[in-house]
Amino acid sequence: MIVALLNQKGGVGKTTLALHLAGEWAGKGKRVTLIDADPQGSALDWSQQRARERQPRLFGVVGLARDTLHREAPELARDVDHVVIDGPPRVAGLMRSALLAADLVLIPVQPSPLDGWASAEMLALLSEARIYRPELCARFILNRCGARTVIARETAETRADHDPPVLRTAIGQRVIYADAAQSGRLAFEIDDDGPAAREIAAFTSEIEQLRTGRIAP
Ligand SMILES: Nc1ncnc2c1ncn2[C@@H]1O[C@H](COP(=O)(O)OP(=O)(O)O)[C@@H](O)[C@H]1O
Ligand SMILES: [Mg+2]
């Protein structure tokens, strides 16, 4: 399947979640390619750092920050089990192309009652993509969640009100994600039984459930 992490805002966790999703799948023996569709190339930087640190290769990372993504991603997908697209900042042709390539769009957001979670422009592009691809599935994923109790309550109350809906699994604000990014590693390679490893496993299995069609688009 082709999963795209998209949000026009920077710093919401597109790269972090794309790398961890790809790594979780690779760790389970799946063949995975990560497409870095951000001209800034942070996933490519991570992969280069990983090579410098002599960490084993988990999955391939290719830079493809072009509007032809929707034509190239399915070709790359033929040779692997999953393609994960680390999306570009800003709403542009590149975002449109990623929306046309994906089977599942994940929109990472930092929960905030004041902020719209995704821009109207981005949601409009999502609706537009669904005209061509009605089966396109989209979900918000809460990232960098702080005080657990407050967020848990807010999420339970608001989850049902959002369109697209919100994944059950929320990702915590954890230093280990920043450490992992800097050292070319993944959180579960630093602590394989910690809370980050567990929430990434839950996040990945929730996505697999979406794929097997147990949850509606
Ligand atoms: N759940 C988290 N906990 C702590 N730091 C995080 C978390 N998610 C992302 N970060 C950090 O926030 C910064 C931006 O995240 P990143 O994944 O690069 O966002 P984006 O790709 O959307 O711009 C990075 O330094 C990353 O390490
Ligand atoms: Mg990024």
PDB file of all heavy atoms in Angstrom, residues 9-17 38 42 86 143-145 171-175 177-178 181 199, ligand 1:
ATOM      1  N   LYS A   9       1.709  22.227   7.163  1.00  0.00           N
ATOM      2  CA  LYS A   9       2.511  22.819   8.239  1.00  0.00           C
ATOM      3  C   LYS A   9       3.796  22.037   8.430  1.00  0.00           C
ATOM      4  O   LYS A   9       3.789  20.810   8.344  1.00  0.00           O
ATOM      5  CB  LYS A   9       1.733  22.768   9.556  1.00  0.00           C
ATOM      6  CG  LYS A   9       0.668  23.832   9.639  1.00  0.00           C
ATOM      7  CD  LYS A   9       0.067  23.845  11.029  1.00  0.00           C
ATOM      8  CE  LYS A   9      -1.278  24.556  11.015  1.00  0.00           C
ATOM      9  NZ  LYS A   9      -2.066  24.277  12.192  1.00  0.00           N
ATOM     10  N   GLY A  10       4.864  22.743   8.740  1.00  0.00           N
ATOM     11  CA  GLY A  10       6.124  22.082   9.057  1.00  0.00           C
ATOM     12  C   GLY A  10       6.155  21.739  10.540  1.00  0.00           C
ATOM     13  O   GLY A  10       5.407  22.304  11.341  1.00  0.00           O
ATOM     14  N   GLY A  11       6.995  20.803  10.895  1.00  0.00           N
ATOM     15  CA  GLY A  11       7.233  20.489  12.302  1.00  0.00           C
ATOM     16  C   GLY A  11       6.120  19.710  12.988  1.00  0.00           C
ATOM     17  O   GLY A  11       6.107  19.585  14.204  1.00  0.00           O
ATOM     18  N   VAL A  12       5.181  19.152  12.230  1.00  0.00           N
ATOM     19  CA  VAL A  12       4.071  18.412  12.844  1.00  0.00           C
ATOM     20  C   VAL A  12       4.381  16.921  12.997  1.00  0.00           C
ATOM     21  O   VAL A  12       3.645  16.196  13.664  1.00  0.00           O
ATOM     22  CB  VAL A  12       2.754  18.570  12.043  1.00  0.00           C
ATOM     23  CG1 VAL A  12       2.242  20.004  12.116  1.00  0.00           C
ATOM     24  CG2 VAL A  12       2.939  18.129  10.597  1.00  0.00           C
ATOM     25  N   GLY A  13       5.461  16.481  12.353  1.00  0.00           N
ATOM     26  CA  GLY A  13       5.854  15.077  12.519  1.00  0.00           C
ATOM     27  C   GLY A  13       5.717  14.205  11.275  1.00  0.00           C
ATOM     28  O   GLY A  13       5.754  12.982  11.380  1.00  0.00           O
ATOM     29  N   LYS A  14       5.600  14.821  10.108  1.00  0.00           N
ATOM     30  CA  LYS A  14       5.499  14.021   8.870  1.00  0.00           C
ATOM     31  C   LYS A  14       6.712  13.102   8.724  1.00  0.00           C
ATOM     32  O   LYS A  14       6.568  11.896   8.517  1.00  0.00           O
ATOM     33  CB  LYS A  14       5.420  14.949   7.637  1.00  0.00           C
ATOM     34  CG  LYS A  14       4.161  15.788   7.573  1.00  0.00           C
ATOM     35  CD  LYS A  14       4.121  16.643   6.306  1.00  0.00           C
ATOM     36  CE  LYS A  14       5.138  17.764   6.267  1.00  0.00           C
ATOM     37  NZ  LYS A  14       4.913  18.809   7.302  1.00  0.00           N
ATOM     38  N   THR A  15       7.903  13.693   8.833  1.00  0.00           N
ATOM     39  CA  THR A  15       9.122  12.904   8.626  1.00  0.00           C
ATOM     40  C   THR A  15       9.295  11.859   9.733  1.00  0.00           C
ATOM     41  O   THR A  15       9.573  10.690   9.453  1.00  0.00           O
ATOM     42  CB  THR A  15      10.345  13.838   8.564  1.00  0.00           C
ATOM     43  OG1 THR A  15      10.127  14.774   7.500  1.00  0.00           O
ATOM     44  CG2 THR A  15      11.628  13.070   8.299  1.00  0.00           C
ATOM     45  N   THR A  16       9.085  12.270  10.975  1.00  0.00           N
ATOM     46  CA  THR A  16       9.242  11.359  12.115  1.00  0.00           C
ATOM     47  C   THR A  16       8.321  10.145  11.958  1.00  0.00           C
ATOM     48  O   THR A  16       8.749   9.001  12.107  1.00  0.00           O
ATOM     49  CB  THR A  16       8.891  12.106  13.421  1.00  0.00           C
ATOM     50  OG1 THR A  16       9.737  13.245  13.517  1.00  0.00           O
ATOM     51  CG2 THR A  16       9.065  11.227  14.651  1.00  0.00           C
ATOM     52  N   LEU A  17       7.059  10.388  11.639  1.00  0.00           N
ATOM     53  CA  LEU A  17       6.103   9.278  11.557  1.00  0.00           C
ATOM     54  C   LEU A  17       6.331   8.446  10.299  1.00  0.00           C
ATOM     55  O   LEU A  17       6.169   7.221  10.329  1.00  0.00           O
ATOM     56  CB  LEU A  17       4.669   9.807  11.633  1.00  0.00           C
ATOM     57  CG  LEU A  17       4.325  10.478  12.976  1.00  0.00           C
ATOM     58  CD1 LEU A  17       2.904  11.028  12.962  1.00  0.00           C
ATOM     59  CD2 LEU A  17       4.493   9.513  14.144  1.00  0.00           C
ATOM     60  N   ASP A  38       9.883  15.879   0.151  1.00  0.00           N
ATOM     61  CA  ASP A  38      10.144  17.224   0.664  1.00  0.00           C
ATOM     62  C   ASP A  38      11.459  17.717   0.067  1.00  0.00           C
ATOM     63  O   ASP A  38      12.494  17.063   0.247  1.00  0.00           O
ATOM     64  CB  ASP A  38      10.253  17.141   2.197  1.00  0.00           C
ATOM     65  CG  ASP A  38      10.521  18.502   2.837  1.00  0.00           C
ATOM     66  OD1 ASP A  38      10.829  19.461   2.095  1.00  0.00           O
ATOM     67  OD2 ASP A  38      10.438  18.587   4.074  1.00  0.00           O
ATOM     68  N   SER A  42      14.780  15.886   4.516  1.00  0.00           N
ATOM     69  CA  SER A  42      15.151  15.450   5.878  1.00  0.00           C
ATOM     70  C   SER A  42      15.198  13.930   6.022  1.00  0.00           C
ATOM     71  O   SER A  42      16.009  13.422   6.796  1.00  0.00           O
ATOM     72  CB  SER A  42      14.233  16.032   6.950  1.00  0.00           C
ATOM     73  OG  SER A  42      13.272  16.874   6.423  1.00  0.00           O
ATOM     74  N   ASP A  86       6.935  10.730   2.512  1.00  0.00           N
ATOM     75  CA  ASP A  86       7.128  11.822   3.474  1.00  0.00           C
ATOM     76  C   ASP A  86       6.835  13.111   2.713  1.00  0.00           C
ATOM     77  O   ASP A  86       7.587  13.498   1.820  1.00  0.00           O
ATOM     78  CB  ASP A  86       8.573  11.774   4.002  1.00  0.00           C
ATOM     79  CG  ASP A  86       8.873  12.906   4.970  1.00  0.00           C
ATOM     80  OD1 ASP A  86       7.934  13.563   5.455  1.00  0.00           O
ATOM     81  OD2 ASP A  86      10.072  13.132   5.234  1.00  0.00           O
ATOM     82  N   ASN A 143      -0.031  13.894  17.090  1.00  0.00           N
ATOM     83  CA  ASN A 143       1.383  13.739  17.425  1.00  0.00           C
ATOM     84  C   ASN A 143       1.763  14.745  18.503  1.00  0.00           C
ATOM     85  O   ASN A 143       1.104  15.768  18.664  1.00  0.00           O
ATOM     86  CB  ASN A 143       2.229  13.943  16.162  1.00  0.00           C
ATOM     87  CG  ASN A 143       3.707  13.664  16.402  1.00  0.00           C
ATOM     88  OD1 ASN A 143       4.078  12.862  17.257  1.00  0.00           O
ATOM     89  ND2 ASN A 143       4.568  14.346  15.658  1.00  0.00           N
ATOM     90  N   ARG A 144       2.838  14.452  19.199  1.00  0.00           N
ATOM     91  CA  ARG A 144       3.388  15.331  20.226  1.00  0.00           C
ATOM     92  C   ARG A 144       2.359  15.638  21.311  1.00  0.00           C
ATOM     93  O   ARG A 144       2.217  16.774  21.747  1.00  0.00           O
ATOM     94  CB  ARG A 144       3.903  16.636  19.612  1.00  0.00           C
ATOM     95  CG  ARG A 144       4.776  16.420  18.385  1.00  0.00           C
ATOM     96  CD  ARG A 144       5.488  17.661  17.962  1.00  0.00           C
ATOM     97  NE  ARG A 144       6.597  17.910  18.855  1.00  0.00           N
ATOM     98  CZ  ARG A 144       7.692  18.578  18.528  1.00  0.00           C
ATOM     99  NH1 ARG A 144       7.814  19.080  17.311  1.00  0.00           N
ATOM    100  NH2 ARG A 144       8.650  18.754  19.392  1.00  0.00           N
ATOM    101  N   CYS A 145       1.625  14.608  21.692  1.00  0.00           N
ATOM    102  CA  CYS A 145       0.629  14.796  22.733  1.00  0.00           C
ATOM    103  C   CYS A 145       1.312  14.912  24.086  1.00  0.00           C
ATOM    104  O   CYS A 145       2.162  14.103  24.427  1.00  0.00           O
ATOM    105  CB  CYS A 145      -0.341  13.612  22.756  1.00  0.00           C
ATOM    106  SG  CYS A 145      -1.311  13.546  21.257  1.00  0.00           S
ATOM    107  N   ILE A 171       0.400   9.773  19.366  1.00  0.00           N
ATOM    108  CA  ILE A 171       1.844   9.689  19.593  1.00  0.00           C
ATOM    109  C   ILE A 171       2.236  10.759  20.612  1.00  0.00           C
ATOM    110  O   ILE A 171       1.864  11.929  20.455  1.00  0.00           O
ATOM    111  CB  ILE A 171       2.611   9.896  18.264  1.00  0.00           C
ATOM    112  CG1 ILE A 171       2.121   8.930  17.164  1.00  0.00           C
ATOM    113  CG2 ILE A 171       4.129   9.772  18.486  1.00  0.00           C
ATOM    114  CD1 ILE A 171       2.342   7.451  17.442  1.00  0.00           C
ATOM    115  N   GLY A 172       2.983  10.355  21.624  1.00  0.00           N
ATOM    116  CA  GLY A 172       3.369  11.280  22.693  1.00  0.00           C
ATOM    117  C   GLY A 172       4.522  12.194  22.304  1.00  0.00           C
ATOM    118  O   GLY A 172       5.252  11.930  21.350  1.00  0.00           O
ATOM    119  N   GLN A 173       4.633  13.271  23.067  1.00  0.00           N
ATOM    120  CA  GLN A 173       5.795  14.153  22.958  1.00  0.00           C
ATOM    121  C   GLN A 173       6.930  13.464  23.709  1.00  0.00           C
ATOM    122  O   GLN A 173       6.864  13.332  24.929  1.00  0.00           O
ATOM    123  CB  GLN A 173       5.438  15.513  23.592  1.00  0.00           C
ATOM    124  CG  GLN A 173       6.586  16.449  23.875  1.00  0.00           C
ATOM    125  CD  GLN A 173       7.176  17.045  22.609  1.00  0.00           C
ATOM    126  OE1 GLN A 173       6.464  17.294  21.632  1.00  0.00           O
ATOM    127  NE2 GLN A 173       8.462  17.261  22.614  1.00  0.00           N
ATOM    128  N   ARG A 174       7.951  12.989  22.979  1.00  0.00           N
ATOM    129  CA  ARG A 174       9.017  12.214  23.621  1.00  0.00           C
ATOM    130  C   ARG A 174      10.376  12.575  23.041  1.00  0.00           C
ATOM    131  O   ARG A 174      10.544  12.578  21.815  1.00  0.00           O
ATOM    132  CB  ARG A 174       8.792  10.711  23.409  1.00  0.00           C
ATOM    133  CG  ARG A 174       7.450  10.215  23.923  1.00  0.00           C
ATOM    134  CD  ARG A 174       7.310   8.711  23.778  1.00  0.00           C
ATOM    135  NE  ARG A 174       5.913   8.312  23.856  1.00  0.00           N
ATOM    136  CZ  ARG A 174       5.223   8.232  24.984  1.00  0.00           C
ATOM    137  NH1 ARG A 174       5.816   8.512  26.120  1.00  0.00           N
ATOM    138  NH2 ARG A 174       3.953   7.878  24.969  1.00  0.00           N
ATOM    139  N   VAL A 175      11.313  12.799  23.943  1.00  0.00           N
ATOM    140  CA  VAL A 175      12.673  13.163  23.544  1.00  0.00           C
ATOM    141  C   VAL A 175      13.299  12.103  22.637  1.00  0.00           C
ATOM    142  O   VAL A 175      14.099  12.411  21.754  1.00  0.00           O
ATOM    143  CB  VAL A 175      13.548  13.359  24.812  1.00  0.00           C
ATOM    144  CG1 VAL A 175      14.998  13.616  24.448  1.00  0.00           C
ATOM    145  CG2 VAL A 175      13.008  14.509  25.645  1.00  0.00           C
ATOM    146  N   TYR A 177      12.223  10.606  20.143  1.00  0.00           N
ATOM    147  CA  TYR A 177      12.017  10.831  18.704  1.00  0.00           C
ATOM    148  C   TYR A 177      13.050  11.812  18.149  1.00  0.00           C
ATOM    149  O   TYR A 177      13.539  11.643  17.029  1.00  0.00           O
ATOM    150  CB  TYR A 177      10.596  11.336  18.422  1.00  0.00           C
ATOM    151  CG  TYR A 177       9.548  10.265  18.627  1.00  0.00           C
ATOM    152  CD1 TYR A 177       8.588  10.386  19.622  1.00  0.00           C
ATOM    153  CD2 TYR A 177       9.519   9.130  17.824  1.00  0.00           C
ATOM    154  CE1 TYR A 177       7.623   9.402  19.820  1.00  0.00           C
ATOM    155  CE2 TYR A 177       8.565   8.141  18.012  1.00  0.00           C
ATOM    156  CZ  TYR A 177       7.615   8.284  19.015  1.00  0.00           C
ATOM    157  OH  TYR A 177       6.672   7.299  19.206  1.00  0.00           O
ATOM    158  N   ALA A 178      13.354  12.834  18.926  1.00  0.00           N
ATOM    159  CA  ALA A 178      14.365  13.803  18.491  1.00  0.00           C
ATOM    160  C   ALA A 178      15.750  13.157  18.502  1.00  0.00           C
ATOM    161  O   ALA A 178      16.546  13.362  17.573  1.00  0.00           O
ATOM    162  CB  ALA A 178      14.319  15.030  19.396  1.00  0.00           C
ATOM    163  N   ALA A 181      16.061  10.923  15.438  1.00  0.00           N
ATOM    164  CA  ALA A 181      16.241  11.697  14.204  1.00  0.00           C
ATOM    165  C   ALA A 181      17.705  12.108  14.042  1.00  0.00           C
ATOM    166  O   ALA A 181      18.276  12.006  12.957  1.00  0.00           O
ATOM    167  CB  ALA A 181      15.336  12.924  14.225  1.00  0.00           C
ATOM    168  N   GLU A 199       3.847   2.653  21.080  1.00  0.00           N
ATOM    169  CA  GLU A 199       2.826   3.446  20.362  1.00  0.00           C
ATOM    170  C   GLU A 199       3.032   3.368  18.843  1.00  0.00           C
ATOM    171  O   GLU A 199       2.062   3.395  18.082  1.00  0.00           O
ATOM    172  CB  GLU A 199       2.759   4.901  20.869  1.00  0.00           C
ATOM    173  CG  GLU A 199       3.945   5.765  20.559  1.00  0.00           C
ATOM    174  CD  GLU A 199       3.996   7.035  21.423  1.00  0.00           C
ATOM    175  OE1 GLU A 199       3.145   7.236  22.302  1.00  0.00           O
ATOM    176  OE2 GLU A 199       4.928   7.833  21.188  1.00  0.00           O
TER     177      GLU A 199
HETATM  178  N1  LIG B   1       6.304  12.977  19.048  1.00  0.00           N
HETATM  179  C1  LIG B   1       7.398  13.750  19.080  1.00  0.00           C
HETATM  180  N2  LIG B   1       8.056  13.964  20.232  1.00  0.00           N
HETATM  181  C2  LIG B   1       9.160  14.761  20.256  1.00  0.00           C
HETATM  182  N3  LIG B   1       9.681  15.385  19.185  1.00  0.00           N
HETATM  183  C3  LIG B   1       9.061  15.210  18.002  1.00  0.00           C
HETATM  184  C4  LIG B   1       7.903  14.392  17.872  1.00  0.00           C
HETATM  185  N4  LIG B   1       7.521  14.409  16.569  1.00  0.00           N
HETATM  186  C5  LIG B   1       8.398  15.187  15.929  1.00  0.00           C
HETATM  187  N5  LIG B   1       9.327  15.681  16.778  1.00  0.00           N
HETATM  188  C6  LIG B   1      10.449  16.580  16.463  1.00  0.00           C
HETATM  189  O1  LIG B   1       9.908  17.771  15.902  1.00  0.00           O
HETATM  190  C7  LIG B   1      10.670  18.227  14.819  1.00  0.00           C
HETATM  191  C8  LIG B   1       9.797  18.289  13.571  1.00  0.00           C
HETATM  192  O2  LIG B   1       9.334  16.988  13.263  1.00  0.00           O
HETATM  193  P1  LIG B   1       9.312  16.464  11.759  1.00  0.00           P
HETATM  194  O3  LIG B   1       8.944  15.029  11.803  1.00  0.00           O
HETATM  195  O4  LIG B   1      10.587  16.812  11.077  1.00  0.00           O
HETATM  196  O5  LIG B   1       8.105  17.330  11.181  1.00  0.00           O
HETATM  197  P2  LIG B   1       7.723  17.675   9.649  1.00  0.00           P
HETATM  198  O6  LIG B   1       8.312  16.612   8.797  1.00  0.00           O
HETATM  199  O7  LIG B   1       6.230  17.678   9.632  1.00  0.00           O
HETATM  200  O8  LIG B   1       8.285  19.030   9.376  1.00  0.00           O
HETATM  201  C9  LIG B   1      11.839  17.259  14.684  1.00  0.00           C
HETATM  202  O9  LIG B   1      12.945  17.807  15.354  1.00  0.00           O
HETATM  203  C10 LIG B   1      11.368  16.001  15.399  1.00  0.00           C
HETATM  204  O10 LIG B   1      12.427  15.286  15.964  1.00  0.00           O
END
